[in-house]
Amino acid sequence: MLLSQDPGISVVAEAEDEAQVLKRVVECQPDVVLLEARLVQVVQELSRVVPDPPSALVYGIDAMAPERLAALVRGNVRGMVHRDAANDELIHAVHAVADDDGFASPELTGCLLQAIRCGGAKPGVDHRFRDRLTGRENSVLSLLCQGLSNKAIAAALSVSEKTVKFHVSNVLAKSGVSTRTQLIAAMGSFSSPQDDALRRRTA
């Protein structure tokens, strides 16, 4: 009911268990699949049943072990919403994931950082891929790793959101990962002098 009230969201199906989730995804081909925390294991199966699985948004999370969180990041989870989040935060998360921006509730930041620190969320990106990026792609990557949305990156670089999406796609292709969440996790605390300069300029 909550999602249906938003004019920018169309609820195309509902499911009660993992089997129904997989069936509805095949039938309806949604852009985003919104999962309760108890159903997160289905994320690993989505890529098996459809060649281009929808982005997953998990809600109702309280706390999560770094290893379990890392497994979600390696999957197609692009958004995580805390169980105490307000209704408008869930709506915002759906839009963010649909726009490929990704989302995580502030309460889950500690779990995310712990997963990155322990190395469990890193999908094995060789940071030398940055040598193959153009100057603008490196700028986009640096801002992306600070958690900025496409809209914020566009404003910081004085370009359109469409241009940012183009650069993000190129960066993902050259890095070898499929989602910006995976890329951010893989980069971890890696930084360069250019990153520091961008942080000062956009602070």
Side-chain angles (χ1 to χ4, degrees):
M1 291 179 61
L2 173 65
L3 297 180
S4 298
Q5 294 172 4
D6 188 285
I9 298 175
S10 297
V11 179
V12 297
E14 296 181 30
E16 296 182 356
D17 55 37
E18 294 183 7
Q20 285 191 7
V21 170
L22 296 174
K23 182 179 179 180
R24 297 292 186 267
V25 167
V26 172
E27 293 173 344
C28 303
Q29 299 182 7
D31 297 312
V32 177
V33 58
L34 179 63
L35 300 169
E36 294 182 41
R38 66 182 178 86
L39 297 176
V40 294
Q41 298 305 320
V42 78
V43 172
Q44 306 300 324
E45 295 294 315
L46 289 176
S47 59
R48 181 181 62 81
V49 299
V50 288
D52 187 19
S55 300
L57 172 62
V58 181
Y59 73 98
I61 299 175
D62 183 3
M64 188 174 289
E67 295 79 10
R68 191 180 179 199
L69 182 59
L72 294 182
V73 173
R74 286 193 295 268
N76 205 34
V77 173
R78 301 191 184 186
M80 302 178 187
V81 179
H82 193 265
R83 70 174 184 179
D84 295 330
N87 290 343
D88 58 349
E89 185 173 315
L90 179 59
I91 294 292
H92 175 73
V94 172
H95 284 290
V97 171
D99 290 338
D100 200 26
D101 282 343
F103 180 87
S105 293
E107 294 90 345
L108 300 175
T109 301
C111 292
L112 285 167
L113 291 176
Q114 188 175 357
I116 293 172
R117 281 197 300 270
C118 73
K122 297 182 180 180
V125 170
D126 184 346
H127 292 150
R128 288 175 296 180
F129 85 90
R130 297 189 71 160
D131 296 336
R132 302 193 299 273
L133 301 182
T134 66
R136 181 48 58 90
E137 288 168 354
N138 260 304
S139 297
V140 169
L141 172 62
S142 297
L143 294 171
L144 184 155
C145 287
Q146 294 176 44
L148 273 65
S149 66
N150 285 352
K151 183 176 182 180
I153 293 174
L157 299 178
S158 299
V159 297
S160 68
E161 286 188 62
K162 184 177 181 180
T163 297
V164 171
K165 288 184 178 181
F166 173 76
H167 289 312
V168 170
S169 295
N170 286 343
V171 170
L172 290 175
K174 292 179 181 180
S175 70
V177 298
S178 58
T179 71
R180 61 197 294 150
T181 304
Q182 291 175 337
L183 181 59
I184 292 172
M187 297 303 290
S189 60
F190 177 78
S191 64
S192 69
Q194 181 188 36
D195 298 334
D196 296 333
L198 279 166
R199 289 190 186 97
R200 289 193 296 271
R201 188 170 68 229
T202 60

